[in-house]
């Protein structure tokens, strides 16, 4: 990543550079990214969307998020776990999502695995890998933000061991960033909550 620090947004406030790179990113950057996400279904949605993002830009996923939510029953684990072969074919033909066969199959398989877990298990597992914020330096530039950490590698391994797919260390770290397990807003970013992880 470039050694770029926070830059002024449309209101003059400093933000992470990616957060002002397109108008679609601004509300996501300011109001969602890096904020704590709890609950199995909510985390299943983020895990699934991060998997779909693999190899693509996040803006591609963000712009289709409502299509994904419609296609995948708002990412309710129990509902997606019950999808049939007909549902799979419907998803493969749905122009409102990314029609990648491997990623669709992984999402359906992950839902079936997670449907067998006790309520709260996914939430507890993911959040058990949140690092101590006191041990993490505050990033000043994009170059200070890692793509993978020891914690994301361990989380990836734990998820894979329990049968989940498309959850590599980079995807796991993106999940940790998006769901507030880590706070990777730059030091001067208006969206950085000093009390956050």
């Amino acid at each position: 990543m470039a050694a770029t620090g926070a830059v002024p947004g449309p209101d003059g406030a400093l933000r992470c550079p990616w957060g002002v790179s397109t108008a679609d990113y601004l509300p996501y950057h300011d109001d969602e990214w890096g904020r704590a996400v709890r609950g199995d279904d909510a985390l299943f949605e983020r895990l699934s969307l991060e998997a779909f993002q693999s190899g693509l830009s996040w803006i591609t996923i963000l712009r289709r998020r409502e299509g994904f939510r419609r296609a995948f029953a708002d990412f309710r684990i129990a509902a997606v776990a019950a999808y049939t072969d007909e549902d799979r074919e419907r998803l493969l033909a749905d122009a409102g999502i990314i029609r990648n066969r491997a990623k669709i199959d992984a999402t359906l398989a992950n839902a079936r695995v997670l449907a067998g877990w006790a309520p709260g298990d996914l939430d507890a597992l993911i959040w058990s890998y949140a690092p101590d914020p006191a041990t993490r330096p505050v990033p000043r530039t994009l170059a200070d933000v890692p793509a993978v950490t020891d914690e994301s590698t361990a989380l990836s391994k734990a998820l894979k061991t329990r049968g989940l797919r498309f959850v590599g260390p980079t995807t796991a770290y993106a999940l940790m960033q998006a769901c507030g397990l880590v706070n990777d807003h730059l030091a001067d970013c208006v969206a950085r909550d000093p009390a956050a992880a």
Side-chain angles (χ1 to χ4, degrees), residues 117 125 128-129 152-164 167:
W117 293 17
L125 175 68
S128 73
Y129 288 89
S152 74
T153 300
L155 174 57
S156 170
K157 182 178 179 182
L159 293 168
K160 288 178 180 178
T161 298
R162 289 165 177 79
L164 298 184
V167 289

Side-chain angles (χ1 to χ4, degrees), residues 44 80 104-115 163-165:
F44 172 59
V80 178
I104 289 170
D105 287 346
T107 303
L108 299 179
N110 288 348
R112 291 179 188 118
V113 168
L114 293 171
L164 298 184
R165 295 162 42 187

Side-chain angles (χ1 to χ4, degrees), residues 126-138:
I126 289 174
W127 277 90
S128 73
Y129 288 89
D132 179 353
T135 66
R136 292 181 47 80
V138 175

Side-chain angles (χ1 to χ4, degrees), residues 38-87:
R38 301 303 299 247
D40 293 345
D41 290 342
L43 288 166
F44 172 59
E45 174 183 3
R46 296 299 181 89
L47 187 63
S48 300
L49 293 178
E50 294 295 347
F52 272 100
Q53 184 271 328
S54 181
L56 303 170
S57 68
W58 178 247
I59 197 67
T60 301
I61 302 304
L62 191 60
R63 288 176 175 159
R64 295 181 185 204
R65 185 163 57 171
E66 291 310 314
F68 275 107
R69 286 176 171 166
R70 282 189 298 275
F72 287 98
D74 288 324
F75 290 95
R76 292 185 319 275
I77 293 168
V80 178
Y83 275 18
T84 63
D85 288 342
E86 290 76 23
D87 290 307

Side-chain angles (χ1 to χ4, degrees), residues 107-195:
T107 303
L108 299 179
N110 288 348
R112 291 179 188 118
V113 168
L114 293 171
W117 293 17
D121 278 0
L122 179 62
D123 185 289
L125 175 68
I126 289 174
W127 277 90
S128 73
Y129 288 89
D132 179 353
T135 66
R136 292 181 47 80
V138 175
R140 301 206 64 75
T141 71
L142 292 180
D144 298 330
V145 179
V148 174
T149 63
D150 291 344
E151 293 88 358
S152 74
T153 300
L155 174 57
S156 170
K157 182 178 179 182
L159 293 168
K160 288 178 180 178
T161 298
R162 289 165 177 79
L164 298 184
R165 295 162 42 187
F166 264 92
V167 289
T170 303
T171 297
Y173 193 67
L175 174 76
M176 293 172 79
Q177 291 174 303
C179 295
L181 280 76
V182 296
N183 184 357
D184 276 345
H185 283 286
L186 300 183
D188 296 328
C189 178
V190 69
R192 184 174 180 84
D193 178 357

